[in-house]
Amino acid sequence: MKGIVLTMHALHLGEQALAEQLTVIAARHTREHEVCHVTRDLALWSNEHCRRLAEAGRHYGLRLDGPSPSPSEPSASDRHRAAEVLGRTPEYVPELLRDLRELHLSAAGNSLHWVMLDQAAQASKDTRLLDVVSFCHPRTLRQMHWSTTMIKNLSPQLLTAGDEQDG
């Protein structure tokens, strides 16, 4: 059971970090409306995963906090200043792609923890943990799929911007 407890703890920390990362990305990329709105929704999913893990962890004597508090939203004037500074400059483009890449890697790490918990829950016949995994893991896979789709859609446009002028 110690392995399950350690994996649940690591996954809980990973989901907390992912929720925070998603919230920061939403605040950082307000000009990219889909990125901003979807990442907020995905952060809610990770917070829900934290709640479910904390509840399941009590069965193992594990005391996990609830979801991490979301960083405060930047004010409208802060967002406006950031948009003016960042705009769609060449420096901004890699930041969005980097954020999406990091988001994908974080979700992939969490996905592997969900796979490990799934296998352990099946081996120990823990239906409570299986229910949590069955609910949360597909959502984590959707987080990964969304980030991959965004990278595929944005990379050609963002990475070749300005190339027409150079030719």
Side-chain angles (χ1 to χ4, degrees), residues 67-83:
S68 61
S70 297
S72 61
E73 289 269 336
S75 69
S77 62
D78 289 341
R79 286 193 304 269
H80 181 70
R81 272 193 305 263

Side-chain angles (χ1 to χ4, degrees), residues 5-22:
V5 169
L6 292 173
T7 304
M8 288 179 78
H9 186 263
L11 180 54
H12 187 265
L13 291 175
E15 288 289 354
Q16 283 182 321
L18 184 57
E20 184 174 335
Q21 185 179 15
L22 286 158

Side-chain angles (χ1 to χ4, degrees), residues 111-144:
S111 178
L112 291 173
H113 281 111
W114 285 119
V115 168
M116 290 186 283
L117 279 181
D118 181 50
Q119 295 302 304
Q122 287 182 52
S124 63
K125 298 179 180 15
D126 184 342
T127 57
R128 182 176 321 159
L129 187 54
L130 276 171
D131 288 345
V132 173
V133 172
S134 296
F135 179 83
C136 297
H137 190 217
R139 291 170 128 198
T140 301
L141 293 172
R142 287 182 64 195
Q143 290 170 323
M144 290 171 56

Side-chain angles (χ1 to χ4, degrees), residues 40-165:
R40 286 179 183 162
D41 290 341
L42 297 179
L44 294 175
W45 286 7
S46 285
N47 283 330
E48 176 66 20
H49 298 174
C50 287
R51 280 190 286 279
R52 288 176 182 251
L53 281 166
E55 186 177 305
R58 285 195 285 275
H59 173 72
Y60 291 95
L62 188 58
R63 298 183 73 166
L64 300 171
D65 297 332
S68 61
S70 297
S72 61
E73 289 269 336
S75 69
S77 62
D78 289 341
R79 286 193 304 269
H80 181 70
R81 272 193 305 263
E84 285 177 350
V85 170
L86 295 176
R88 278 206 170 265
T89 64
E91 295 80 24
Y92 171 74
V93 173
E95 181 179 50
L96 176 56
L97 291 176
R98 184 200 69 221
D99 285 348
L100 290 169
R101 177 186 173 278
E102 293 300 318
L103 168 64
H104 181 83
L105 293 174
S106 295
N110 288 349
S111 178
L112 291 173
H113 281 111
W114 285 119
V115 168
M116 290 186 283
L117 279 181
D118 181 50
Q119 295 302 304
Q122 287 182 52
S124 63
K125 298 179 180 15
D126 184 342
T127 57
R128 182 176 321 159
L129 187 54
L130 276 171
D131 288 345
V132 173
V133 172
S134 296
F135 179 83
C136 297
H137 190 217
R139 291 170 128 198
T140 301
L141 293 172
R142 287 182 64 195
Q143 290 170 323
M144 290 171 56
H145 179 72
W146 178 81
S147 62
T148 300
T149 300
M150 290 304 296
I151 290 169
K152 285 180 179 180
N153 290 342
L154 293 172
S155 290
Q157 173 190 353
L158 298 178
L159 293 177
T160 61
D163 287 353
E164 304 85 35
Q165 297 168 358

